[in-house]
Amino acid sequence: MFEVHSGLGFAVVLAIILLSTKVLGLLFRRLGLPQVLGYIIAGILVGPAIFGDFLGFSLLGFESDAYTPLFVLEGEGFSHGTDGLAIFSKIGVLLLMFSTGLETDLKELKNTGLAATLIACAGVAVPMGLGILICLPFRGVVPGLDNIYNCIFVGAILTATSVAITVSVLKELGKISTKLGTTIVSAAIIDDIIGIVVLSVVTGIAKAGTASETLTGFAAFKATPYGTIIMIVAFFIVAIGLGFGVSKLFQWLEKKWPETHRLPIFSLVVCFVYSWAAEEIFGVADITGAFLAGIILSTAHRASVYTDKKLEVNTYTMFAPVFFANIGISSIKFTGLSGMLFVFAILAVLMGLIGKVVGCGVVAKAFKYDLRQSGIAGVGMMARGEVALIVTATAMSAGLPEEIMIMTVLLILVSSILTPIFLKLLYAKEKTEPAPALAEGAVADENAVLESEIAIAEPENDDPVEKE
Amino acid sequence: MFEVHSGLGFAVVLAIILLSTKVLGLLFRRLGLPQVLGYIIAGILVGPAIFGDFLGFSLLGFESDAYTPLFVLEGEGFSHGTDGLAIFSKIGVLLLMFSTGLETDLKELKNTGLAATLIACAGVAVPMGLGILICLPFRGVVPGLDNIYNCIFVGAILTATSVAITVSVLKELGKISTKLGTTIVSAAIIDDIIGIVVLSVVTGIAKAGTASETLTGFAAFKATPYGTIIMIVAFFIVAIGLGFGVSKLFQWLEKKWPETHRLPIFSLVVCFVYSWAAEEIFGVADITGAFLAGIILSTAHRASVYTDKKLEVNTYTMFAPVFFANIGISSIKFTGLSGMLFVFAILAVLMGLIGKVVGCGVVAKAFKYDLRQSGIAGVGMMARGEVALIVTATAMSAGLPEEIMIMTVLLILVSSILTPIFLKLLYAKEKTEPAPALAEGAVADENAVLESEIAIAEPENDDPVEKE
């Protein structure tokens, strides 16, 4: 009748993750690298990957019996440790995407015009195309990489620019409010939306392609490529249709009870229900549901700003560190990887970097930016971050070999290091750049959005001493 | 190598809990009852207890096969659902107790003097003694209630005044800053500390009493009553000893990096490590570890205020609703309870109420308060809340029959309804009460503490429209 589960095992797992991610995150920031990278490295250090194989033990013990965990989480505690990681990671990624949705201003997106949209499209299409092309000859060569869907996943992973990394670099250089800066950031936001839609379609089709023959009825219909696309379209119709009602409800709530605790709580309910329905009913990625829920609630502006501010605390104190660390803890094992995988990963990363710079740069040049400015647009779009990790994790659940994570980590590492360096070099050549052509109010509003986005990537920006 | 756990099943469980707790919580507040009671009732409604037996289905499906869950959480999702509840509940109760510790001001406690301490002691001793006495004849009569330890647990459950409920009532009546109000609140805080120590000792001894014969070495030593008491003393020595270093560290941190994200994160690390060490190494309740960690960190005042403010968001948006709802979801089954249990529960609740009023009232009278004021002190200490639930859950894990939860729920329900009514009646007879005798600064500081505490029990107090 009453069963007291301890759940305590996870508390100490959480303590280890919070301490190691924060220390590594701060160290990485000192080195001028994104904190999220520090979180992942922290996960690798406390997980079984490195110490498990090289030193014969790991700080957190998990399934493998190839090493002796230093810190054994026994019985129920052990199970709660691994389940807790899965649950906190999932809530973490849903909160990140929900927050991105909340911070997306539909009007802003429309105002930034054609340039941003076309730069975003080229920034998705070119790296995706190059990624698929470079992948095709490696089928059967890299273990596990055996079908066309895997190559489409590789392409999809290369598409998503990290808004957080781009924004933090532009802010650091004081270029966020310039016309070029605004265009880049708008393009990065649109890029995220396109990337998520591409991921949904690809995941749905890949799942359909690998579905077993035993399905019947509605499940079988959903598993066909045709059914998958219909369900994706149905999801957007139903979700956006219901979204009008949800939006009206929250506009009423924020007027009647502004800044109350019920706003973030009811917002979370919408986020989780949308996420669940997207994945379980419509076969669309749950993060798409969370992101769409965020966009819908962003139409109740006051409520969404308040909710975003509150939920950010959940994200940075608990869920985001676990999400990023869990990628390191459970995904990366440096031994036993084939040499061909490394060759492939390096080539794919090159395609990802070149694809963004060329794709975005050429479109920017077509919109009358000079060569230097076009280069800035391309390099600005080059940074990858948490979205690439999310896409990789989602692709893995649909069949991508887990070894490919090494490519994603390499892509984030290299792009995170190169983007600030190249941007600084390109901006150093600048004499004067014209002031932003946008209306004052629009720029100020966008800054507010951007500041919140920095807060996710750089949780220490309320720290006046350390801020550079 | 990489395993993508879905964890999504828990997202929808969380959505159902958040929606139902908030709606019921708001409804209960409208009726003048504490919101926490609404949370528990929400848990009963969505869990299997009522609908499972009476209607043949329940919203959330759990272990029993006596009913058909309306909402089946299949396979992995199901397991994540129940594990998620356990993990979130545990984190929730640790955060609640950690926050109570953070809000405890050691200097304030000393300043409030002898009266508050003695009122608190009487408020613990009398209900505990009455509870044990009323329980003894029911051994063997109420199913599962079969030994002396269970009766000591019943006594311990009756001890803990709810600071949150008492404070919210005094605030509502505008009596929080009076001398009497300050004394009551100080006594309630001291009462919590004594209650937790009593719980630790009782739990440790009870676990020792029921330990199996197969233990050897250190584990066997810890399982003896003598070893248990030594370990409890050792815990406080080690925890407080290390606490001086932790306190110095946080005083350095708050000076060097005030109001940074690392403060709540590192605070959480201390909280979780103390909780884990208390339970797993020393055999003391984990909530005692969390509470003590909070008191230690409260000595770094600025960091603790900032941390408390930030972590409160975690508590009210996620963890506290799950903690309270989970009590309802997993603990209460109204059918199949014996008539004798109800007789016992009603008598025990009476003892709990009378014990507080008489115990605290008599001591207050001895400190020259008049009869009406002494009655207010007694009634003010009568309210029970989350701490009684925590004690009950902890006692259950040490052997108390789960049916006793009905007594705790009844105690909270009755005391929460009666306290505001009696306080209003007693204050209505008042002509003028002398202004508080304490220094202005001390009162103001205490109010700050009290306001934060209200925030836990009444998460809507930033809502100007609904606040009465």
Side-chain angles (χ1 to χ4, degrees):
Chain A
M1 191 163 119
F2 190 97
E3 205 180 327
V4 180
H5 297 274
S6 130
L8 188 63
F10 186 61
V12 76
V13 170
L14 203 49
I16 292 170
I17 290 176
L18 290 178
L19 185 64
S20 59
T21 52
K22 197 64 207 168
V23 169
L24 266 284
L26 289 173
L27 186 71
F28 271 62
R29 205 181 49 145
R30 276 284 163 98
L31 300 172
L33 296 168
Q35 285 208 62
V36 287
L37 211 61
Y39 292 179
I40 299 166
I41 306 293
I44 296 173
L45 291 179
V46 301
I50 288 184
F51 290 128
D53 287 303
F54 294 152
L55 300 183
F57 67 86
S58 78
L59 201 53
L60 299 178
F62 290 101
E63 293 104 61
S64 171
D65 48 12
Y67 44 83
T68 314
L70 179 63
F71 197 144
V72 184
L73 302 168
E74 287 171 51
E76 194 185 26
F78 179 85
S79 138
H80 276 136
T82 49
D83 284 343
L85 283 179
I87 290 167
F88 269 58
S89 292
K90 179 56 79 182
I91 304 281
V93 65
L94 295 181
L95 287 179
L96 274 174
M97 298 312 296
F98 183 55
S99 167
T100 307
L102 284 176
E103 290 163 11
T104 302
D105 188 325
L106 287 172
K107 279 184 197 161
E108 286 286 332
L109 284 182
K110 286 179 201 160
N111 290 343
T112 49
L114 201 60
T117 309
L118 289 185
I119 289 174
C121 288
V124 168
V126 180
M128 180 147 188
L130 289 176
I132 294 173
L133 283 180
I134 202 77
C135 173
L136 291 177
F138 282 92
R139 280 174 304 163
V141 178
V142 170
L145 205 67
D146 50 8
N147 62 48
I148 181 74
Y149 298 118
N150 287 333
C151 287
I152 296 176
F153 281 137
V154 167
I157 291 168
L158 301 183
T159 62
T161 289
S162 166
V163 181
I165 292 174
T166 305
V167 163
S168 66
V169 171
L170 288 176
K171 266 234 149 189
E172 202 182 317
L173 295 172
K175 299 295 178 189
I176 195 79
S177 305
T178 62
K179 187 186 164 195
L180 182 57
T182 307
T183 307
I184 293 173
V185 174
S186 298
I189 291 172
I190 297 168
D191 172 295
D192 269 2
I193 298 172
I194 300 174
I196 287 172
V197 173
V198 167
L199 178 69
S200 284
V201 174
V202 169
T203 309
I205 292 173
K207 277 186 177 164
T210 59
S212 78
E213 303 280 316
T214 56
L215 295 173
T216 55
F218 189 56
F221 166 74
K222 281 207 290 185
T224 63
Y226 182 70
T228 301
I229 291 173
I230 288 195
M231 288 307 286
I232 291 172
V233 173
F235 168 71
F236 283 99
I237 291 173
V238 172
I240 294 170
L242 288 176
F244 285 103
V246 172
S247 171
K248 283 267 175 273
L249 176 66
F250 275 79
Q251 282 168 21
W252 175 78
L253 280 173
E254 73 178 354
K255 202 170 282 175
K256 196 153 167 64
W257 296 291
E259 313 222 325
T260 51
H261 288 190
R262 69 196 70 171
L263 292 178
I265 290 171
F266 290 153
S267 298
L268 277 180
V269 172
V270 174
C271 166
F272 292 146
V273 169
Y274 263 67
S275 307
W276 174 82
E279 176 108 14
E280 299 289 327
I281 299 177
F282 294 96
V284 180
D286 48 13
I287 54 170
T288 310
F291 182 69
L292 196 59
I295 290 182
I296 287 165
L297 293 186
S298 76
T299 56
H301 183 68
R302 201 170 155 191
S304 72
V305 168
Y306 184 75
T307 295
D308 196 34
K309 203 180 95 192
K310 291 297 176 189
L311 294 186
E312 194 220 331
V313 178
N314 286 296
T315 307
Y316 81 75
T317 56
M318 295 252 187
F319 297 104
V322 175
F323 170 68
F324 291 115
N326 193 36
I327 290 164
I329 289 172
S330 55
S331 72
I332 300 165
K333 205 168 183 175
F334 286 118
T335 57
L337 299 180
S338 77
M340 286 315 288
L341 174 65
F342 279 103
V343 174
F344 165 71
I346 289 165
L347 287 175
V349 168
L350 271 178
M351 292 302 110
L353 301 180
I354 294 169
K356 281 283 178 193
V357 175
V358 172
C360 301
V362 166
V363 175
K365 190 79 186 63
F367 274 85
K368 317 267 185 219
Y369 283 104
D370 68 25
L371 199 65
R372 191 186 56 79
Q373 288 175 322
S374 301
I376 289 172
V379 172
M381 293 288 287
M382 192 176 77
R384 309 299 209 288
E386 61 277 12
V387 183
L389 294 169
I390 294 165
V391 174
T392 309
T394 308
M396 281 177 183
S397 71
L400 185 73
E402 50 214 4
E403 287 85 356
I404 302 300
M405 182 60 88
I406 201 85
M407 174 195 85
T408 308
V409 172
L410 209 60
L411 177 64
I412 294 171
L413 188 68
V414 172
S415 69
S416 301
I417 295 171
L418 293 185
T419 299
I421 297 171
F422 284 0
L423 279 180
K424 274 179 190 163
L425 287 174
L426 285 166
Y427 269 115
K429 291 187 183 173
E430 170 193 49
K431 295 282 173 256
T432 51
E433 201 196 358
L438 288 166
E440 194 72 15
V443 173
D445 266 353
E446 185 165 70
N447 282 351
V449 172
L450 301 181
E451 273 164 18
S452 329
E453 293 194 305
I454 290 179
I456 291 171
E458 297 279 317
E460 294 292 328
N461 71 335
D462 56 357
D463 175 349
V465 180
E466 288 224 342
K467 204 178 173 192
E468 294 173 21
Chain B
M1 193 162 120
F2 189 98
E3 206 180 326
V4 181
H5 296 275
S6 129
L8 187 64
F10 185 61
V12 76
V13 170
L14 203 49
I16 292 170
I17 290 176
L18 290 178
L19 185 65
S20 59
T21 52
K22 197 65 207 168
V23 169
L24 266 283
L26 289 173
L27 186 71
F28 271 62
R29 206 182 49 145
R30 276 284 162 98
L31 300 172
L33 295 168
Q35 285 207 61
V36 287
L37 211 60
Y39 292 178
I40 300 165
I41 307 292
I44 296 173
L45 292 179
V46 301
I50 288 184
F51 290 127
D53 287 303
F54 295 151
L55 300 183
F57 67 86
S58 78
L59 200 53
L60 299 177
F62 290 101
E63 293 103 63
S64 169
D65 48 12
Y67 43 83
T68 314
L70 179 63
F71 197 145
V72 184
L73 302 168
E74 288 171 48
E76 194 185 28
F78 178 84
S79 138
H80 276 135
T82 48
D83 284 343
L85 283 179
I87 290 167
F88 269 59
S89 291
K90 178 57 78 180
I91 304 282
V93 65
L94 294 181
L95 287 179
L96 274 174
M97 296 312 294
F98 183 56
S99 167
T100 307
L102 284 176
E103 290 163 10
T104 301
D105 189 327
L106 287 173
K107 280 185 197 161
E108 286 286 332
L109 284 182
K110 287 179 202 162
N111 290 342
T112 47
L114 200 60
T117 309
L118 290 185
I119 289 174
C121 289
V124 168
V126 180
M128 181 148 185
L130 289 177
I132 295 173
L133 282 180
I134 203 77
C135 173
L136 291 177
F138 281 93
R139 280 175 304 163
V141 178
V142 170
L145 205 66
D146 49 9
N147 62 48
I148 181 74
Y149 299 117
N150 286 334
C151 287
I152 297 175
F153 282 136
V154 167
I157 292 168
L158 301 184
T159 61
T161 289
S162 165
V163 180
I165 293 174
T166 305
V167 163
S168 67
V169 171
L170 287 175
K171 267 234 145 187
E172 202 182 317
L173 295 173
K175 299 295 178 189
I176 196 80
S177 305
T178 62
K179 186 186 165 196
L180 183 56
T182 307
T183 308
I184 292 173
V185 174
S186 299
I189 291 172
I190 298 169
D191 172 295
D192 269 2
I193 298 173
I194 301 174
I196 287 172
V197 173
V198 167
L199 178 69
S200 285
V201 174
V202 169
T203 309
I205 293 173
K207 278 186 175 164
T210 59
S212 78
E213 302 279 317
T214 55
L215 295 173
T216 54
F218 189 55
F221 167 73
K222 281 207 289 186
T224 63
Y226 183 70
T228 302
I229 291 172
I230 288 194
M231 289 307 286
I232 291 173
V233 173
F235 168 71
F236 281 101
I237 291 173
V238 172
I240 294 170
L242 288 177
F244 285 104
V246 172
S247 171
K248 284 268 174 270
L249 176 67
F250 275 79
Q251 282 169 20
W252 176 78
L253 280 174
E254 74 179 353
K255 202 170 282 176
K256 197 154 167 65
W257 296 290
E259 312 220 328
T260 51
H261 289 190
R262 71 196 68 172
L263 292 178
I265 290 171
F266 291 154
S267 298
L268 277 181
V269 172
V270 174
C271 165
F272 292 145
V273 169
Y274 263 68
S275 307
W276 174 81
E279 176 106 16
E280 298 289 327
I281 299 177
F282 294 96
V284 181
D286 49 12
I287 53 170
T288 310
F291 182 68
L292 196 58
I295 290 182
I296 287 165
L297 293 186
S298 76
T299 56
H301 183 68
R302 201 169 154 191
S304 71
V305 168
Y306 184 74
T307 295
D308 196 35
K309 203 180 96 191
K310 291 296 176 188
L311 294 186
E312 194 219 331
V313 178
N314 286 296
T315 307
Y316 82 75
T317 56
M318 294 250 187
F319 296 104
V322 175
F323 170 68
F324 291 115
N326 193 35
I327 289 164
I329 288 171
S330 55
S331 73
I332 300 165
K333 205 167 183 176
F334 285 118
T335 57
L337 299 180
S338 76
M340 284 315 285
L341 174 65
F342 279 103
V343 173
F344 165 70
I346 290 166
L347 287 175
V349 167
L350 271 177
M351 292 302 110
L353 301 180
I354 293 169
K356 280 285 177 193
V357 175
V358 171
C360 301
V362 166
V363 175
K365 190 79 183 64
F367 275 83
K368 316 266 186 220
Y369 283 104
D370 68 24
L371 199 63
R372 190 186 58 79
Q373 288 175 321
S374 301
I376 289 172
V379 171
M381 294 287 287
M382 193 175 77
R384 309 300 209 288
E386 60 278 14
V387 182
L389 293 169
I390 293 165
V391 174
T392 308
T394 308
M396 281 178 184
S397 72
L400 185 75
E402 50 214 3
E403 287 85 356
I404 302 300
M405 183 58 89
I406 201 85
M407 174 194 84
T408 309
V409 172
L410 208 60
L411 177 65
I412 295 171
L413 188 69
V414 173
S415 68
S416 302
I417 295 171
L418 293 185
T419 299
I421 297 172
F422 283 1
L423 279 179
K424 274 179 190 162
L425 287 175
L426 285 165
Y427 269 114
K429 291 188 184 173
E430 170 193 48
K431 293 284 173 250
T432 51
E433 201 195 358
L438 289 167
E440 193 70 16
V443 173
D445 268 350
E446 185 164 72
N447 283 351
V449 172
L450 303 181
E451 271 164 18
S452 329
E453 293 194 306
I454 290 179
I456 292 171
E458 297 280 316
E460 293 292 328
N461 71 336
D462 56 357
D463 174 349
V465 180
E466 288 223 342
K467 205 180 171 190
E468 292 173 21

